[in-house]
Amino acid sequence: MTDFFAQSLQAFQERMRTPWIGSILIAFLLWNWQPLLFLVASDTALRTRFTYFESHTGWCSLFVGPVIAGFLFAAAKPWISLVMDWLGA
């Protein structure tokens, strides 16, 4: 059973290292940080937290925006690295 969890964790880590999925995940967290923080860290009733999350998110903020921003960042990342190397030299 522990081998299954170890293999699953390793597969998850490999997928997160890819520039596309990692960028989309970071964009998702940046795009939805306030509703996610309220959902996780608030002391209010669970129903209130879910209502807040549903009212402050939608399919655009959960899927479309993070995917587009993640792809744009992943595509621009080599150029950003090139500029940072140029500035550092």
Side-chain angles (χ1 to χ4, degrees):
M1 189 64 131
T2 57
D3 291 336
F4 172 74
F5 288 122
Q7 290 173 353
S8 298
L9 181 62
Q10 183 181 5
F12 178 74
Q13 288 174 343
E14 289 175 9
R15 287 189 180 99
M16 287 300 111
R17 287 186 190 133
T18 63
W20 299 105
I21 296 186
S23 297
I24 292 171
L25 180 64
I26 291 170
F28 175 80
L29 293 174
L30 290 174
W31 201 282
N32 297 301
W33 71 271
Q34 287 177 327
L36 287 170
L37 184 64
F38 187 81
L39 184 66
V40 173
S42 178
D43 290 336
T44 60
L46 188 60
R47 184 177 300 262
T48 306
R49 289 187 274 173
F50 278 117
T51 303
Y52 178 86
F53 185 80
E54 287 178 356
S55 67
H56 288 82
T57 57
W59 66 274
C60 189
S61 69
L62 293 175
F63 300 109
V64 177
V67 169
I68 291 172
F71 277 123
L72 289 175
F73 178 71
K77 190 176 178 184
W79 294 101
I80 294 169
S81 296
L82 182 66
V83 169
M84 296 306 271
D85 290 341
W86 180 74
L87 289 174

